[in-house]
Amino acid sequence: MSSMPSPALVGRASELRILTDAMTRPPAVVLLEGEAGIGKTRLVRTALARLPAGRTVLLGYCHQIREPFPYGPVFEALRDIAGRLPGRLNPVTGVLRGHLPELADALPPALPPLDDTRAERHRLFRAIRALLAAVGPAVLVIEDLHWADDGTRDLLRFLTDQPPEGLAVVATHRRENDARSPLSRAYLHHPDTTSVVVPLAPLGPDDVGSLACALLERSDLPQAFVTRLHERTAGIPFVVEETVRSVSDAEQPDALDRAGVPLLLREAMAERMAGLSPPAAAAVRAAAVLRLPASEQLIIAVGGHSAGLGEALRAGVLHEQPGGRYGFRHALAQQAVYDAMPGPDRRSGHERAMTALRAVGSPPLVQLAFHARHAEDTEAWLHHGTAAAQQAAALGDTALAVEVIEGMLGDPGLPAHHRGPLALMLSRFAATGLSHQRVVRLLRHVLRDDFLPRATRGEVRLNLGVVLSNQAGDTAAGRVEILVALKELSDRPTLAARGWAVLAMPAWGTESLETHRQWMARAETLVATADDPEVAAAVLANRASFELSVGSPDALTIAARLPVSDPRTAVRRQVARAYNNLHDSATSLGLYAEAERFAREGRRLAVETGAQYPAYLLDVSTVRRDWLTGRWDGLRDRASALGELATETPLIAVDVWLVLGMLALARGEWDEAVKHFRTAGLDAPDDRYVPITVAAAGGLIDLHLARGEFDRATAEADASVARLRRKGVWVWGAYLVPSAVTAFAWSGRVKTAADLVAEYSAGIAGCVAPAAAAALDLSRGSLAAAERRHADAAGFYQRAREAYAALPHPYAAARAGEGAARSRLALGDGGAASAFTELADAFTRLGATHDAARCRRVLRDIGVDVPLPRGRRGNAGVLSEREKEVARLVALGRTNREIADVLFLSTRTVESHVATVLRKLGVRSRTQVAPPG
């Protein structure tokens, strides 16, 4: 029938109110969820129309077929804001000049690129956030988030975690069969952010009737018609609308049946197509073949007519999209038209689309692969598909590369002899990227199908094992796959050597060091006669990593043999991986200068060779080195930011969780520390990265001791020392053994403590491990103090303090200094008081408020008054340092008793501080207290 007016929004009053309220109360984050055709876009448009004047509205769209252009939907939304920008912008927005040439005249000067790709991405995210803040109040709408690339999801996660003060973010999303959050994790928001999820359900019978009345411009309709309409459309608004548009007379009992419009939308669209002229119908079919909104020229090239697009637009079958593109209002309409086309017409349409897209300056390879497949041109499909995957991988969009190959491998039309090369390509891509979940599922499926030749199967399985062990952090599953792969690679000794070298890395698994040595020897024997520079470099990389991880005196000499200047990218990528491992081990051993050198060179090589995985690991292990060397200023935020980027790969970010746990421990945040230590490896210690798991166990023992939980402390010490003893790499005990010795000694198990000290001393003898040597003196000090040999204890503690200070490891140096001061106090040394004063100041400078409070408690016990710095005079609303500590713990939900325990104060004193905090902050309840900045 003729064109109908667009009806008012029906049946969504509550959802509209929620959405409008959120848009007008920024900062806000709204996720609008529902199936295709449910009315998400119409609800958003209606809410936008009700916004008060003065708000900037930014619209971005995610597309089902996408090219490797990370963050594209957000950049699309930002392109038209030139006239709304203030005169002065944050200088960091200069990095957007290359991404938003339309705004070049308004943006600050470009900034020089950063060597660190992670830092570059974080700076880009900050720049986008600053630009959005500058145009506020604003509403950023991202449509069809379910089709977003991983980069766009990461950017939106960054924006929604802490949106600018004047920004409301609205995203539409099809939940359908995917139970996961559209941002890949449960959304956690700040108390000041309005955050809502608005699910849209199908309309009920009454609302379907109201919608039909609005469409037909009638006040009422026969109840039988409304009931039948609801049954046939399932209450999906778009299907209701398209069905009603094809009805000529709703008064007739069989109106819906006579109209020939069944439930499915394709027949409703066919009815509308029948009323179009041949040129207009050709334009609509061309748009259906293209699938994505396209330019007028492209639609004409595919449709074969220079006229007809205007008629299709006037009839409301096609709609104008941003950027001078034209397409369907909804994907359901596109699919309905496409399905109604005869097969030969569809095929010829795709052939014309291929011809037109090939003529584009930078041909969209993903779209070309799509059209080639549907044109049944297998050769072109494989050519464009593999080229698209390789292009995406080269641009760092491993997720898109995987998506393209996944579609090809999952297609039943793919010739069997092409499956092996594609599966192999996929497994190789995965080994250098970060994304792994889809890859693991697909490779396992490919291996189950049993169509690969034995040798190819072995390599694919080996790469799957490497991905499971590295990116996924699931060493148990990875080891199983590698062991099976080694049997399948019996005729390919070079690749088998790589497998044995992976197994040989001692930081994973429960095998003894001797077993790992045997595996490494086997790898070196197999690769000795091979002519494969990449695998030879991989084995040498693991050998150097192995030796340094155990503190071998020969490690640095072996590392110097790595082919850092080799002209082959694949070889230098292995060196980048080695330098990441060497940085990690040097950090654990206390060789910080060497660690910094390995990090610097490793980052350079990772950028040169496009090795994402080593680059990310360097970032997370650098966070641990910053914690060890006392660079705590802003460390919590840096670590948290890295953790947020590891939503798909949390197990490889164990350094981050360890550091967050240690920082929480030093501030007396017990619950947070326990959570982080478990995530760092204590949730499944036999399957996690052993050096970090051991250090996390040391932190957990210290936590139990601080809370007086001696039974728990010794239980953890028994279990963790047993794991370390089984592995036999005692240099990793630098962050466990002193804590375990203290736990045993304080619990009356002095002999156990003494035996552990002796075993540890023998275990690190001859190793190059400054941190372990310092830990040995610290352990001896703890043992001597427990045996009341205070003079000996003071000496051991002082030696440990000097050793830690030389590394430098200022927090451990202060802890050792505290042990020395306590021993001197036990000896009656009057100078111990000044030592405790200095230690309290040292802990305070680091941010270790719990340790500082413990030292001040000792001073109070011996009659020395050490007042905390107070707020500025003349400003009654400024919190003192003590009040800030109390406010922080109140914001974490701690009781007065718990705060008293952490800060070594009386409950009555804490009650007084809490009352002062509430008064100064102008709030009535503890729940309103925010953590002080």
Side-chain angles (χ1 to χ4, degrees):
M1 62 183 291
S2 62
S3 177
M4 289 183 175
S6 181
L9 193 68
V10 172
R12 305 295 190 204
S14 174
E15 294 88 344
L16 179 61
R17 183 178 63 255
I18 293 170
L19 179 57
T20 305
D21 287 348
M23 286 181 172
T24 55
R25 294 170 55 195
V29 177
V30 183
L31 291 177
L32 197 58
E33 296 182 340
E35 61 187 292
I38 204 68
K40 301 182 293 296
T41 298
R42 173 162 289 174
L43 179 62
V44 170
R45 296 299 185 273
T46 304
L48 290 174
R50 297 190 176 192
L51 290 178
R55 274 177 166 74
T56 300
V57 176
L58 308 170
L59 302 175
Y61 302 85
C62 306
H63 299 297
Q64 187 174 10
I65 303 176
R66 62 183 180 86
E67 298 298 329
F69 179 39
Y71 326 125
V74 177
F75 285 137
E76 180 183 37
L78 291 172
R79 282 183 177 137
D80 297 324
I81 63 172
R84 303 182 182 93
L85 292 174
R88 297 187 62 182
L89 290 170
N90 187 321
V92 75
T93 59
V95 303
L96 300 174
R97 294 177 71 91
H99 299 277
L100 296 168
E102 300 89 344
L103 307 183
D105 293 338
L107 293 173
L111 301 178
L114 301 176
D115 293 335
D116 185 342
T117 55
R118 292 278 166 182
E120 183 72 45
R121 183 166 86 152
H122 188 259
R123 185 171 69 173
L124 179 68
F125 285 10
R126 288 175 48 226
I128 293 172
R129 186 181 187 278
L131 194 63
L132 289 168
V135 298
V139 178
L140 172 63
V141 178
I142 300 297
E143 290 270 21
D144 296 324
L145 187 59
H146 45 277
W147 286 329
D149 61 280
D150 290 351
T152 297
R153 287 176 183 248
D154 287 342
L155 173 55
L156 290 175
R157 186 181 307 119
F158 178 88
L159 293 174
T160 55
D161 277 352
Q162 287 187 304
E165 186 173 320
L167 179 68
V169 179
V170 178
T172 66
H173 168 66
R174 291 186 197 170
R175 171 79 60 164
E176 297 181 340
N177 295 326
D178 189 352
R180 298 172 299 173
S181 164
L183 296 178
S184 301
R185 61 172 172 78
Y187 172 63
L188 302 176
H189 62 89
H190 289 265
D192 294 333
T193 301
T194 301
S195 178
V196 290
V197 176
V198 182
L200 295 185
L203 299 177
D206 291 344
D207 288 329
V208 166
S210 298
L211 178 56
C213 285
L215 287 164
L216 295 170
E217 298 183 293
R218 295 182 51 161
S219 59
D220 66 343
L221 286 167
Q223 186 58 45
F225 175 86
V226 172
T227 301
R228 180 66 171 152
L229 179 63
H230 180 261
E231 290 174 352
R232 293 171 68 86
T233 63
I236 298 174
F238 183 69
V239 181
V240 172
E241 182 173 344
E242 296 303 321
T243 302
V244 169
R245 289 181 188 278
S246 66
V247 172
S248 58
D249 186 359
E251 293 294 334
Q252 298 297 321
D254 58 349
L256 290 172
D257 294 330
R258 282 193 306 105
V261 182
L263 174 63
L264 300 177
L265 177 63
R266 64 174 61 93
E267 297 193 13
M269 290 301 298
E271 188 76 16
R272 300 186 68 189
M273 289 286 289
L276 298 176
S277 68
V284 174
R285 294 188 185 102
V289 167
L290 290 167
R291 183 169 289 196
L292 298 178
S295 66
E296 180 179 0
Q297 293 78 11
L298 190 55
I299 290 176
I300 291 173
V302 176
H305 293 275
S306 59
L309 179 58
E311 180 186 343
L313 292 170
R314 287 190 297 274
V317 180
L318 295 181
H319 296 261
E320 186 170 359
Q321 308 285 347
R325 296 171 299 163
Y326 305 92
F328 293 88
R329 185 158 56 93
H330 198 283
L332 287 174
Q334 177 272 330
Q335 192 64 47
V337 174
Y338 183 82
D339 290 346
M341 294 173 63
D345 291 353
R346 290 199 301 264
R347 184 172 61 256
S348 62
H350 287 295
E351 289 172 347
R352 291 192 296 273
M354 288 174 59
T355 301
L357 290 171
R358 283 186 182 126
V360 176
S362 297
L365 296 174
V366 178
Q367 293 180 51
L368 279 168
F370 167 79
H371 291 298
R373 174 64 187 95
H374 288 80
E376 300 180 11
D377 188 340
T378 302
E379 182 178 350
W381 175 40
L382 290 168
H383 171 74
H384 293 307
T386 54
Q390 289 167 343
Q391 180 191 65
L395 293 173
D397 195 347
T398 307
L400 178 57
V402 169
E403 183 181 319
V404 171
I405 299 182
E406 180 180 14
M408 297 173 75
L409 283 172
D411 194 310
L414 180 69
H417 64 278
H418 287 296
R419 292 183 177 275
L422 286 176
L424 192 56
M425 181 186 295
L426 176 64
S427 71
R428 288 171 175 169
F429 282 152
T432 61
L434 281 174
S435 177
H436 72 272
Q437 292 177 349
R438 287 178 294 180
V439 175
V440 167
R441 289 195 297 268
L442 182 58
L443 291 182
R444 281 177 165 160
H445 178 72
V446 167
L447 291 169
R448 281 197 303 269
D449 283 351
D450 200 28
F451 63 81
L452 297 175
R454 179 183 174 87
T456 301
R457 172 182 294 276
E459 184 173 357
V460 171
R461 194 185 300 278
L462 175 61
N463 288 333
L464 171 60
V466 170
V467 170
L468 285 168
S469 299
N470 292 342
Q471 284 88 331
D474 190 350
T475 54
R479 184 150 301 189
V480 169
E481 298 292 350
I482 292 173
L483 288 170
V484 175
L486 289 171
K487 297 177 182 177
E488 296 171 332
L489 293 170
S490 57
D491 296 332
R492 301 182 69 184
T494 302
L495 276 176
R498 182 178 170 219
W500 287 115
V502 172
L503 292 177
M505 300 304 288
W508 298 98
T510 59
E511 295 83 4
S512 69
L513 179 59
E514 182 55 34
T515 299
H516 290 287
R517 287 193 187 279
Q518 293 171 9
W519 287 341
M520 181 57 70
R522 191 163 185 175
E524 291 181 314
T525 299
L526 288 172
V527 83
T529 58
D531 185 21
D532 188 326
E534 181 184 357
V535 175
V539 173
L540 179 59
N542 281 24
R543 171 69 190 285
S545 303
F546 177 100
E547 296 297 339
L548 190 60
S549 72
V550 301
S552 168
D554 300 327
L556 296 180
T557 301
I558 296 171
R561 291 162 38 198
L562 289 165
V564 65
S565 300
D566 193 286
R568 288 159 291 208
T569 298
V571 171
R572 285 183 289 115
R573 188 177 290 129
Q574 295 298 333
V575 180
R577 182 178 61 82
Y579 278 9
N580 160 68
N581 294 339
L582 294 168
H583 170 262
D584 181 80
S585 294
T587 297
S588 295
L589 297 175
L591 300 170
Y592 302 141
E594 289 82 355
E596 190 164 354
R597 176 172 62 85
F598 287 131
R600 184 172 58 252
E601 287 300 300
R603 282 197 179 90
R604 178 181 65 80
L605 289 170
V607 171
E608 286 180 4
T609 62
Q612 291 179 303
Y613 177 64
Y616 179 76
L617 288 186
L618 279 170
D619 288 341
V620 297
S621 54
T622 296
V623 164
R624 179 160 56 98
R625 179 157 55 88
D626 287 345
W627 169 70
L628 290 167
T629 55
R631 286 175 267 191
W632 290 19
D633 188 26
L635 182 58
R636 180 188 293 243
D637 291 339
R638 296 199 302 277
S640 297
L642 279 172
E644 289 169 1
L645 292 176
T647 54
E648 189 180 337
T649 54
L651 298 181
I652 69 170
V654 288
D655 299 72
V656 165
W657 314 126
L658 173 66
V659 168
L660 290 173
M662 291 298 188
L663 291 173
L665 174 62
R667 290 158 64 98
E669 299 168 2
W670 311 131
D671 295 344
E672 292 73 17
V674 170
K675 179 187 71 174
H676 291 313
F677 288 147
R678 288 187 57 79
T679 309
L682 293 181
D683 57 340
D686 288 341
D687 298 328
R688 301 290 185 255
Y689 188 63
V690 179
I692 297 298
T693 300
V694 166
L700 187 59
I701 292 168
D702 285 343
L703 185 151
H704 289 318
L705 292 175
R707 302 183 71 173
E709 299 167 344
F710 298 113
D711 289 345
R712 289 187 175 184
T714 55
E716 183 61 44
D718 280 326
S720 300
V721 169
R723 285 192 293 269
L724 183 62
R725 183 179 292 120
R726 179 179 58 196
K727 180 62 71 173
V729 186
W730 284 99
V731 293
W732 297 344
Y735 312 103
L736 166 65
V737 171
S739 303
V741 168
T742 302
F744 291 142
W746 285 14
S747 301
R749 295 170 58 183
V750 177
K751 185 178 185 305
T752 303
D755 291 344
L756 177 57
V757 170
E759 188 176 13
Y760 184 55
S761 177
I764 67 172
C767 295
V768 180
L776 177 59
D777 280 326
L778 184 61
S779 301
R780 286 169 170 164
S782 296
L783 178 61
E787 294 174 337
R788 301 187 182 279
R789 295 183 288 112
H790 298 301
D792 291 340
F796 286 130
Y797 280 132
Q798 185 59 30
R799 282 170 53 184
R801 181 181 189 179
E802 293 169 359
Y804 281 127
L807 290 178
H809 186 352
Y811 180 68
R815 291 292 302 268
E818 183 182 354
R822 289 182 181 275
S823 297
R824 290 170 56 193
L825 193 63
L827 292 169
D829 186 342
S834 61
F836 276 108
T837 301
E838 294 172 2
L839 290 165
D841 292 341
F843 283 128
T844 299
R845 286 193 298 272
L846 282 170
T849 52
H850 173 67
D851 300 276
R854 187 177 57 245
C855 291
R856 293 191 182 100
R857 172 61 182 268
V858 173
L859 289 170
R860 290 198 301 273
D861 288 345
I862 61 177
V864 178
D865 184 22
V866 184
L868 282 167
R870 299 186 177 276
R872 296 178 183 176
R873 291 184 178 181
N875 191 341
V878 175
L879 299 180
S880 70
E881 293 303 311
R882 174 68 79 202
E883 289 161 357
K884 287 180 181 178
E885 294 173 4
V886 171
R888 174 177 56 81
L889 294 169
V890 168
L892 289 172
R894 302 298 183 263
T895 66
N896 288 350
R897 179 69 266 171
E898 290 169 335
I899 296 172
D901 291 341
V902 169
L903 298 179
F904 297 93
L905 300 172
S906 69
T907 304
R908 180 170 296 180
T909 300
V910 171
E911 290 172 353
S912 176
H913 283 311
V914 170
T916 302
V917 166
L918 297 179
R919 175 177 54 79
K920 287 187 176 182
L921 296 181
V923 297
R924 296 182 178 181
S925 168
R926 300 169 72 102
T927 60
Q928 296 175 285
V929 176

